[in-house]
C-alpha cells in the first residue's frame, strides 16, 4: 500500500526530515495553509510528507516559471525596435510563449511528480480512516484524470500572466516618446519579469499556482478515498476562513451534496474545492476544503 511505502521512506531518511521541518513549516505558514492541512486527518509522518510534496511542487513550478521568463526575454531580444512598440506583436510573443506544448508538458510532469502523490496520500488517508481493511491503489484512474485536468487549467493560469504583462507593455509604449524609448521600456519590463522579482514569473505566482494544484490534489484525493470506502454518502463544502475568501466560496460554505454530485459555486459546478474542470476564477488560489457526510 501507499502508506507502507511512506513509512519506509521516512525511516530511511529521518535526519533529512528533521532538517527540513523548520523550512517546511515556514513555507506552510507563509502560504496560510494550516487550516487546510488540519482538515486532512493525517498522521505526523503523512503530514510531513505532504509538506515535502508541496515544497517539491512549488520548487518545480519556480523552475518552470524561470524557464518561461528566460524564453520571454530571448523572444523580446529578437524583436525589432518597431515590433517592440507594437502591442499586437508583443501579444503574439506572449501567446506563443504561453501556449507552447513544452511548458504544458513541464507543468504536467510537475503535477505527476509532486501533486499526484499528494492526491494519493490524501485519498488513502481518508479511505483507511473509514475502513482500515480497504486497500488503496496508486494506479487508480482518478489520479491520472486529475493530472490531465490540471494540465487543462494551465492555459487559464497563463492567460492571467499574459494579460498582466501586456498591460505593462502597453503602459511602457504609451510612456515612450520615441521608438527607441518605447523599445527600452519594454525590454526593461521583460528583464524585470524574467528575474522573478515581480510579475508572472515571480515566487508569488509560483505559490499561487502551487496552492491551486495542492488544493485540487488534496480535495480530489479525499473525494476518491470516500468513494472507495463505499460508505460515504455525501460531502459538505467548507470555506476557508479570512477576508480573502471570495464571496462565491463563502456563499458555498455549508452546502451539502451527494458524493457523485457537484457543488454549485458561483456559475461553476465543482466536484470538490479546486476542481480543475471548473472556471479558473473559482479555482485559482482556492484554500477551501470539504467534510464527509455519512448519512
Amino acid at each position: 500500500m501507499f502508506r507502507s511505502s511512506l513509512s519506509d521512506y521516512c525511516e530511511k531518511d529521518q535526519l533529512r526530515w528533521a532538517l527540513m521541518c523548520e523550512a517546511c513549516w515556514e513555507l506552510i505558514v507563509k502560504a496560510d495553509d494550516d487550516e487546510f492541512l488540519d482538515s486532512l486527518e493525517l498522521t505526523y509522518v503523512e503530514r510531513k510528507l505532504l509538506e515535502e510534496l508541496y515544497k517539491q511542487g512549488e520548487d518545480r513550478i519556480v523552475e518552470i516559471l524561470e524557464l518561461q521568463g528566460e524564453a520571454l526575454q530571448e523572444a523580446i531580444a529578437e524583436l525589432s525596435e518597431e515590433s517592440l512598440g507594437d502591442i499586437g506583436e508583443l501579444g503574439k510573443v506572449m501567446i506563443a510563449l504561453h501556449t507552447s506544448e513544452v511548458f504544458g508538458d513541464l507543468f504536467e510532469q510537475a503535477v505527476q511528480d509532486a501533486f499526484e502523490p499528494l492526491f494519493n496520500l490524501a485519498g488513502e488517508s481518508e479511505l483507511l480512516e473509514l475502513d482500515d481493511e480497504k486497500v488503496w491503489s496508486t494506479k487508480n484512474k482518478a489520479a491520472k484524470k486529475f493530472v490531465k485536468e490540471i494540465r487543462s487549467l494551465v492555459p487559464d493560469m497563463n492567460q492571467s500572466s499574459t494579460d498582466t504583462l501586456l498591460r505593462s507593455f502597453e503602459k511602457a509604449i504609451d510612456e515612450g516618446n520615441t521608438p527607441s524609448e518605447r523599445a527600452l521600456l519594454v525590454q526593461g519590463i521583460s528583464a524585470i519579469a524574467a528575474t522573478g522579482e515581480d510579475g508572472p514569473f515571480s515566487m508569488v505566482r509560483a505559490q499561487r499556482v502551487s496552492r491551486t494544484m495542492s488544493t485540487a490534489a488534496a480535495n480530489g484525493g479525499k473525494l476518491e478515498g470516500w468513494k472507495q470506502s463505499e460508505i460515504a454518502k455525501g460531502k459538505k463544502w467548507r470555506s476557508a476562513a479570512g477576508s480573502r475568501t471570495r464571496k462565491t466560496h463563502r456563499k458555498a460554505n455549508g452546502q451539502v451534496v451527494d458524493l457523485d454530485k457537484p457543488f454549485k459555486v458561483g456559475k461553476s459546478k465543482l466536484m470538490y474545492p479546486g476542481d480543475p474542470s471548473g472556471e479558473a476564477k473559482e479555482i485559482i488560489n482556492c484554500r477551501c476544503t470539504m467534510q464527509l457526510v455519512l448519512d
Side-chain angles (χ1 to χ4, degrees):
M1 289 191 302
F2 188 68
R3 178 169 286 189
S4 297
S5 64
L6 299 185
S7 298
D8 293 340
Y9 176 87
C10 293
E11 287 173 3
K12 294 176 182 177
D13 212 354
Q14 290 179 346
L15 178 59
R16 179 167 171 266
W17 280 111
L19 292 174
M20 73 105 186
C21 281
E22 183 177 354
C24 275
W25 274 114
E26 289 175 357
L27 174 68
I28 295 301
V29 169
K30 180 169 59 178
D32 193 23
D33 278 344
D34 275 333
E35 182 182 5
F36 178 75
L37 292 175
D38 288 342
S39 75
L40 298 182
E41 303 294 339
L42 301 173
T43 66
Y44 176 84
V45 171
E46 289 167 338
R47 179 156 176 158
K48 291 307 163 191
L49 181 57
L50 186 147
E51 291 168 2
E52 171 68 0
L53 291 171
Y54 185 99
K55 186 177 186 301
Q56 286 176 5
E58 185 173 89
D59 288 345
R60 186 69 186 111
I61 289 169
V62 167
E63 292 174 6
I64 295 171
L65 295 183
E66 286 176 348
L67 290 174
Q68 283 187 313
E70 291 170 5
L72 172 65
Q73 202 167 11
E74 289 174 2
I76 292 293
E78 293 176 359
L79 291 179
S80 66
E81 189 175 270
E82 182 180 357
S83 294
L84 287 171
D86 185 336
I87 197 65
E89 289 300 311
L90 293 170
K92 291 178 183 177
V93 170
M94 294 301 302
I95 291 171
L97 173 68
H98 280 150
T99 57
S100 168
E101 280 294 306
V102 172
F103 293 111
D105 291 344
L106 288 174
F107 271 111
E108 183 170 326
Q109 189 62 51
V111 175
Q112 288 176 324
D113 291 346
F115 298 106
E116 186 179 353
L118 194 159
F119 180 103
N120 285 311
L121 171 60
E124 186 186 12
S125 294
E126 294 293 320
L127 175 62
L128 296 182
E129 186 73 22
L130 293 170
D131 186 346
D132 59 11
E133 297 296 322
K134 293 282 188 179
V135 177
W136 173 269
S137 171
T138 58
K139 299 185 182 299
N140 69 78
K141 293 180 180 179
K144 304 302 178 187
K145 181 181 178 183
F146 162 75
V147 173
K148 298 298 181 183
E149 287 181 340
I150 281 289
R151 175 167 178 154
S152 72
L153 185 62
V154 170
D156 290 328
M157 294 181 185
N158 281 335
Q159 184 60 50
S160 63
S161 64
T162 296
D163 293 342
T164 298
L165 265 180
L166 286 180
R167 284 195 296 271
S168 298
F169 287 152
E170 197 164 22
K171 183 179 179 182
I173 291 170
D174 290 342
E175 291 177 350
N177 295 319
T178 66
S180 294
E181 285 179 350
R182 290 193 287 270
L184 285 173
L185 287 170
V186 167
Q187 289 169 336
I189 290 171
S190 172
I192 291 172
T195 64
E197 294 178 3
D198 191 21
F201 310 114
S202 67
M203 186 64 178
V204 172
R205 182 166 182 247
Q207 289 175 342
R208 183 165 62 247
V209 174
S210 295
R211 176 178 292 168
T212 299
M213 293 184 175
S214 63
T215 298
N219 282 313
K222 287 177 71 169
L223 179 59
E224 179 61 20
W226 295 344
K227 287 180 178 179
Q228 289 188 27
S229 76
E230 299 181 326
I231 62 172
K233 302 298 182 184
K235 55 197 177 185
K236 181 179 181 180
W237 187 283
R238 178 186 169 191
S239 297
S243 60
R244 291 185 293 114
T245 300
R246 64 205 83 181
K247 291 181 180 179
T248 51
H249 290 207
R250 289 201 299 269
K251 188 175 180 179
N253 189 48
Q255 186 180 148
V256 176
V257 297
D258 292 342
L259 209 60
D260 60 350
K261 300 294 183 182
F263 295 104
K264 294 181 180 179
V265 184
K267 296 182 179 179
S268 290
K269 293 183 178 181
L270 308 179
M271 290 302 293
Y272 50 86
D275 180 358
S277 65
E279 292 183 279
K281 67 179 182 180
E282 300 294 358
I283 294 173
I284 304 300
N285 225 25
C286 176
R287 298 175 297 122
C288 299
T289 184
M290 56 188 179
Q291 296 173 321
L292 174 66
V293 176
L294 291 172
D295 51 30

